[in-house]
Amino acid sequence: MAFYQNKSGWLQLFFVTTGVLVSAAFLCLLPPLQDLENKIQDQYFMIRGPLDVTDSPIVIVEVSQEADEEIPFRYPWPRQVYAKLIENLNRAGARVIAIDLLFDQEDENPANDAAFAEALAEYSNVVLIGGFRRSTDTFSEKTTRVMPARILENAMKNPPGIVDMRRDSDGFIREYPFGANFAGEQLYSFALQTLITAEKADTTTIEINSRSFQFSGHSVPKNRNGFMNINYYGGNRTFEHIGFEKIVDDGDFDTRMEMQAFPINEFSDPEYGLLASGVLENKIVLVGATMPELQDYHPVPFAASGGETIMSGVEIHANALQTILDENFLYDLPRAVAWPVSFLLLFFLAYAVNRLKIIQGVAVTFLILAVTAGAGYILFTQFSMMADILPVLLASVGIFITITTQNYLSEQKEKQRITSMFSSYVSPDLVNRLIEGEEDFKLAGESKHLTVLFSDIANFSKLSEKMPAEKVVAFMNEYLGSMTSIITNEDGTLDKYIGDAVMAFFGAPLSLPEHAVHACRSALLMQKASEELKKSVIFDEDTIQNISFHTRIGINTGAMVVGNMGSGQRFNYTVMGDNVNLGARCEAACKEFGIPIMVTGATKKEADNGEFLFRYLGKLRVIGKQQPVDIYQPVTFKEQSDSEVEEVIQTFEQAVNLYLAGDWKTAARLFEETREKEALINPVSKKKVNPSAFYLNLCRIYIKTPPVEQWDGVIEQSVK
């Protein structure tokens, strides 16, 4: 089988080795193979295991589900609660307090902002966060700063820390940025700004070059992308966590437990309180969200004890900060070392495969694969080096295939024998059937194209106040049971109950081709069931007449991260991402438009199969996003509609288009006409709160006072 027996054999081996290695290197630039390289390096973390953080100065104060249940305010909490947090942490001797929560909007009560600002002005060890929002249009990309509200920014004694983190193509966070320069202002990442504040570093001495970021005696190496490799110390909840509610629970602050049972001051109790224990003395305190509803969980390389590779954003910052504190950096293996060593290893493989029989060649190839993988692990654990081993692995297989194929081609008889052998081993049809028959789904975090649904009961607080507690419980059981049955019958996945609210999604864990259709069908059936509940014996006539009870539903379709998320003690299968937030915003916007159901254009596009009658509502820019979205109302099932309803919808959509075009007088006339017929479309219609009345009011405003800025017709959401 050996064919390199002549004088040119060594030269041929040289060209084969060089060509295959270069080809493998270029192939590894493709995103799927980059993801595979990352996954290989992720396994090094898992094989190495967690690192000891017993002596870590980092403590995480978590905004958790338990905190939300104990603090006697509905989240988002008043800013005075954060003032109390800062005050108590300083009483406990915290070295620095870094809050990974964005306060870019003013509090509804100016006094709360004033209290928070006073705390920021009083203490010089507090770091808040900021970031950047990028939006694109036809001609350019625009970047804007997202900073704390003006009153807070003016009171801050330290610059904000930037929390924008770099994701790899698979969505995982493995690198940490150093900061950004915006409009001539240098801002540092959250972990760096925290450490700069903790050590009171002189920022004028900070030096940034192509290889490192240097400050206050620290020299943080940059990887090839200009970031720091995060050396994860473990999975989610590796660092010490203390509940937010425990920090603010002193003699001046009563938790719900204290209100309902007996006083327990978990912070200031002189015997067992956090203040007396000294656990926060000289600590670097990071404050951040671990409540799943706040959607601050991200895929990371290190799996927690439960197997999920999801970590809270604040703990990612903690891992980056601990990496710097311990100078436990992960370096990229220099290419000047990696390339020559790789070439020599592969050249040896090429020579061996060329000289040996095929079985021996397979054994040598596997040996090289094992040596390469082992060398990568040893470099990682013993020398803190990140080596790209996938090009060598691919090149090893490539060299084996290339040389073996050439040997087979040199002897036609051997080629026929191999072809015959493989044909008798495996049936291509059988393989295809097996592949097509597999249902591929994961319980770990993955990105999928799904549809999410949020529902909420309008005026539920007023409704519950009018009813005895036992009737409230009976109603909620009947209501949630009815809504859940509809969702599950439509192959949806119930995510969670949040009080009277229901969150569900369609398309995972099992694939559902028409998930948007199932979501819209569920919404209409849920609305109908909600109306039927009004006739229930649970309600008395006076309650029904005085309170407008109905269900609001928001739906959006798009890419989302789905999987098991939470802590090692408690987690659930849920979704997160911008498209999830957009679905929640649509549910809130129903109140503003006075409609029961709102879906985005993405959902309408995928669900518009002729089954539903949609009404176009215009363009909406939801809170927290720059780009507007088209919004629609699923009015009813097409087979249940009539010509009068369709005529009203047609007139309304004509008026919306006139409104968008800036013809407010004509639009107002048509909206006046449709306003009187809104009851045909909206089962929850009110004279002053419906889409026609909403737009009619805007038209009248713009007729009297035309907008100065360029008109785009986008509705700015004002209801959370």
Side-chain angles (χ1 to χ4, degrees):
M1 288 291 293
F3 63 96
Y4 289 129
Q5 301 290 334
N6 51 50
K7 294 181 180 179
S8 62
W10 291 100
L11 186 61
Q12 288 176 329
L13 283 176
F14 174 84
F15 284 124
V16 168
T17 303
T18 303
V20 172
L21 179 57
V22 171
S23 298
F26 274 107
L27 282 175
C28 288
L29 296 177
L30 299 175
L33 292 182
Q34 286 182 341
D35 293 345
L36 180 58
E37 178 72 73
N38 288 331
K39 297 300 183 187
I40 293 173
Q41 294 183 353
D42 292 350
Q43 292 305 308
Y44 294 156
F45 282 106
M46 301 307 301
I47 298 172
R48 182 204 69 187
L51 301 177
D52 185 20
V53 293
T54 304
D55 297 327
S56 172
I58 299 173
V59 173
I60 294 175
V61 173
E62 57 178 328
V63 179
S64 62
Q65 190 71 46
E66 183 178 354
D68 194 35
E69 293 171 357
E70 284 297 317
I71 291 178
F73 304 102
R74 186 173 182 177
Y75 196 88
W77 306 318
R79 301 282 167 79
Q80 62 179 2
V81 177
Y82 299 98
K84 169 66 70 175
L85 174 82
I86 293 172
E87 177 187 346
N88 284 356
L89 286 174
N90 275 286
R91 288 173 59 193
R95 189 177 3 157
V96 63
I97 305 165
I99 305 178
D100 183 21
L101 300 169
L102 185 58
F103 302 101
D104 59 332
Q105 303 293 327
E106 294 184 355
D107 195 287
E108 295 179 357
N109 186 346
N112 292 329
D113 270 337
F116 193 18
E118 184 178 349
L120 294 173
E122 181 177 354
Y123 299 103
S124 60
N125 63 342
V126 182
V127 176
L128 300 185
I129 66 169
F132 300 97
R133 182 177 294 122
R134 294 171 179 84
S135 59
T136 58
D137 54 29
T138 306
F139 304 102
S140 63
E141 179 178 88
K142 182 180 180 182
T143 301
T144 55
R145 286 204 318 165
V146 181
M147 291 293 147
R150 183 63 62 185
I151 184 175
L152 305 180
E153 188 175 10
N154 291 338
M156 291 160 45
K157 292 190 175 182
N158 300 296
I162 302 302
V163 291
D164 297 336
M165 287 187 280
R166 181 185 183 276
R167 295 178 182 272
D168 288 324
S169 56
D170 60 358
F172 280 58
I173 295 176
R174 300 179 177 89
E175 301 175 321
Y176 200 79
F178 293 100
N181 189 292
F182 184 82
E185 179 184 5
Q186 179 64 49
L187 298 174
Y188 301 109
S189 63
F190 186 60
L192 286 174
Q193 184 59 54
T194 299
L195 192 54
I196 288 171
T197 303
E199 297 184 353
K200 299 179 181 179
D202 183 0
T203 56
T204 61
T205 64
I206 293 177
E207 181 180 344
I208 306 175
N209 55 49
S210 60
R211 294 186 176 182
S212 64
F213 182 99
Q214 300 178 15
F215 73 101
S216 188
H218 299 282
S219 181
V220 185
K222 291 184 176 181
N223 62 17
R224 297 189 186 106
N225 298 319
F227 299 92
M228 180 189 79
N229 295 317
I230 303 176
N231 194 349
Y232 282 95
Y233 279 67
N236 196 44
R237 302 190 76 83
T238 293
F239 290 87
E240 181 179 3
H241 284 59
I242 299 177
F244 189 106
E245 75 283 1
K246 296 179 181 179
I247 302 296
V248 297
D249 183 18
D250 58 15
D252 299 327
F253 189 95
D254 291 333
T255 63
R256 292 187 190 275
M257 179 181 292
E258 290 179 300
M259 295 177 179
Q260 297 171 3
F262 50 87
I264 302 176
N265 294 324
E266 295 189 78
F267 176 77
S268 59
D269 188 280
E271 295 183 4
Y272 58 82
L274 293 172
L275 181 61
S277 68
V279 295
L280 294 167
E281 182 71 31
N282 203 34
K283 294 291 186 179
I284 297 175
V285 180
L286 305 183
V287 183
T290 62
M291 187 163 43
E293 289 82 354
L294 297 184
Q295 305 290 323
D296 192 21
Y297 279 89
H298 313 276
V300 295
F302 210 119
S305 57
E308 62 276 7
T309 55
I310 297 295
M311 181 177 288
S312 65
V314 67
E315 187 142 10
I316 295 175
H317 295 300
N319 277 276
L321 185 55
Q322 190 68 48
T323 300
I324 300 173
L325 287 171
D326 290 345
E327 296 186 356
N328 191 16
F329 302 116
L330 294 175
Y331 302 86
D332 287 342
L333 181 66
R335 290 192 172 101
V337 175
W339 280 96
V341 172
S342 299
F343 179 84
L344 291 175
L345 189 67
L346 293 170
F347 188 82
F348 165 77
L349 174 63
Y351 176 81
V353 171
N354 182 54
R355 292 286 177 176
L356 300 173
K357 295 181 179 180
I358 186 169
I359 299 301
Q360 295 170 324
V362 170
V364 173
T365 302
F366 275 104
L367 176 63
I368 295 299
L369 294 176
V371 168
T372 302
Y377 176 69
I378 292 173
L379 286 171
F380 179 83
T381 56
Q382 302 300 317
F383 301 97
S384 298
M385 287 285 183
M386 304 282 284
D388 294 334
I389 68 169
L390 187 58
V392 181
L393 298 178
L394 292 179
S396 299
V397 176
I399 284 174
F400 173 80
I401 293 173
T402 299
I403 295 179
T404 303
T405 301
Q406 289 182 9
N407 286 341
Y408 289 158
L409 291 174
S410 69
E411 298 182 14
Q412 185 63 29
K413 184 178 179 179
E414 190 69 11
K415 176 182 176 182
Q416 292 175 351
R417 189 185 73 82
I418 295 296
T419 302
S420 175
M421 180 182 67
F422 277 102
S423 297
S424 64
Y425 283 168
V426 180
S427 167
D429 292 335
L430 176 60
V431 174
N432 290 336
R433 286 200 301 271
L434 289 173
I435 293 174
E436 293 173 358
E438 290 183 354
E439 181 62 49
D440 183 20
F441 71 91
K442 301 176 182 177
L443 289 178
E446 63 175 334
S447 178
K448 295 191 70 173
H449 188 76
L450 308 172
T451 298
V452 67
L453 179 150
F454 288 86
S455 77
D456 197 8
I457 300 178
N459 296 321
F460 179 74
S461 297
K462 294 182 180 179
L463 185 69
S464 59
E465 290 175 358
K466 293 280 187 176
M467 299 165 57
E470 59 271 20
K471 284 193 174 184
V472 172
V473 173
F475 163 69
M476 286 305 303
N477 289 338
E478 183 173 352
Y479 172 82
L480 294 176
S482 176
M483 299 300 106
T484 303
S485 295
I486 292 171
I487 291 170
T488 54
N489 288 340
E490 287 298 324
D491 296 328
T493 299
L494 176 67
D495 189 305
K496 62 177 69 72
Y497 302 130
I498 310 172
D500 58 300
V502 178
M503 177 181 173
F505 52 92
F506 299 77
L510 297 180
S511 298
L512 189 64
E514 295 184 331
H515 46 79
V517 173
H518 286 266
C520 290
R521 190 183 299 138
S522 297
L524 289 172
L525 293 175
M526 290 167 68
Q527 188 61 42
K528 181 179 179 181
S530 177
E531 293 299 310
E532 289 295 324
L533 279 176
K534 288 185 178 180
K535 305 173 185 177
S536 171
V537 295
I538 293 175
F539 300 101
D540 55 52
E541 185 175 350
D542 180 67
T543 300
I544 298 173
Q545 289 178 350
N546 290 295
I547 297 178
S548 176
F549 154 64
H550 65 274
T551 299
R552 295 192 297 258
I553 300 173
I555 301 174
N556 182 44
T557 300
M560 308 167 192
V561 175
V562 60
N564 275 329
M565 303 175 196
S567 67
Q569 292 75 34
R570 183 175 180 180
F571 59 86
N572 69 301
Y573 189 69
T574 185
V575 291
M576 64 170 54
D578 286 341
N579 282 310
V580 178
N581 297 336
L582 182 54
R585 298 302 190 194
C586 286
E587 182 273 315
C590 286
K591 179 178 181 181
E592 204 162 356
F593 281 82
I595 57 173
I597 308 171
M598 179 182 293
V599 305
T600 62
T603 299
K604 190 260 184 185
K605 181 179 180 181
E606 295 193 24
D608 199 7
N609 61 354
E611 182 178 350
F612 311 106
L613 183 63
F614 289 95
R615 170 164 65 162
Y616 180 54
L617 296 172
K619 297 181 180 294
L620 176 68
R621 183 180 288 111
V622 302
I623 296 172
K625 293 186 72 69
Q626 289 294 316
Q627 294 299 320
V629 294
D630 290 324
I631 52 173
Y632 295 82
Q633 176 192 359
V635 176
T636 185
F637 293 101
K638 199 72 173 285
E639 63 180 14
Q640 297 177 4
S641 67
D642 55 45
S643 58
E644 187 176 6
V645 170
E646 294 178 3
E647 183 179 344
V648 173
I649 292 175
Q650 184 178 2
T651 303
F652 178 87
E653 291 183 343
Q654 181 184 356
V656 170
N657 289 327
L658 289 168
Y659 170 84
L660 293 173
D663 188 354
W664 303 302
K665 290 185 179 180
T666 308
R669 178 176 56 79
L670 294 179
F671 284 131
E672 286 181 336
E673 178 182 339
T674 59
R675 182 180 59 174
E676 304 303 321
K677 301 178 181 180
E678 276 287 339
L680 296 172
I681 301 176
N682 276 326
V684 300
S685 176
K686 293 183 179 180
K687 186 174 181 180
K688 294 184 178 180
V689 185
N690 59 62
S692 296
F694 175 84
Y695 273 110
L696 180 58
N697 181 55
L698 290 177
C699 287
R700 288 171 175 172
I701 292 173
Y702 292 139
I703 289 171
K704 291 182 180 180
T705 309
V708 177
E709 299 179 354
Q710 184 178 358
W711 171 255
D712 60 4
V714 174
I715 304 299
E716 301 286 346
Q717 184 181 20
S718 60
V719 178
K720 290 188 177 181

